[in-house]
Amino acid sequence: FNHKELISKIVTTYTHFFDLPNADDFITAVVEDERSFSCKHLNETLALLKGKLHTTIPETVLLRFEALCWEFNFAATIMNMEEQREIPDQFCDPLSARIFRCPVK
């Protein structure tokens, strides 16, 4: 088990998804995954990559991952603000109690 190589591959994969035209969908999907996503763990990983593991990842990938972390944190902040607002019942899904994104298609 080589943890440095694993982290490098995960970070590289995330940055590839960030470069796709529908990166906003990727960011939203990651942030909405409440089982796996944590801003705290993401920021700790970034600090680790800038420190001890800095030599294992190319500088360009590290900069892209840092930008991606900022986007994840921003999306999570917006999502938390939406959840804390008092929203009229007619704008919420009765099953999940979340805001309708596109109620009519």
Side-chain angles (χ1 to χ4, degrees):
F1 177 73
N2 185 344
H3 67 281
K4 291 179 182 181
E5 182 180 341
L6 179 63
I7 290 174
S8 177
K9 286 182 179 184
I10 291 171
V11 167
T12 302
T13 302
Y14 268 47
T15 57
H16 286 306
F17 281 119
F18 186 45
D19 292 333
L20 294 175
N22 58 347
D24 290 340
D25 294 339
F26 170 66
I27 292 166
T28 301
V30 170
V31 171
E32 286 181 347
D33 183 6
E34 297 171 354
R35 297 171 300 138
S36 304
F37 179 75
S38 164
C39 285
K40 177 185 170 198
H41 293 144
L42 187 70
N43 294 330
E44 288 173 357
T45 302
L46 182 60
L48 187 65
L49 291 172
K50 286 182 168 184
K52 294 179 183 178
L53 300 179
H54 184 70
T55 58
T56 62
I57 296 179
E59 188 69 27
T60 55
V61 174
L62 184 60
L63 290 173
R64 294 296 296 149
F65 187 68
E66 186 172 13
L68 180 59
C69 289
W70 187 89
E71 292 289 338
F72 281 142
N73 284 315
F74 181 74
T77 300
I78 296 298
M79 193 170 118
N80 286 337
M81 287 173 55
E82 286 179 353
E83 289 176 357
Q84 291 176 1
R85 288 189 308 194
E86 188 63 37
I87 301 163
D89 290 336
Q90 67 263 28
F91 296 113
C92 291
D93 182 341
L95 297 175
S96 68
R98 291 187 173 213
I99 300 172
F100 281 122
R101 296 287 180 204
C102 186
V104 179
K105 286 195 176 200

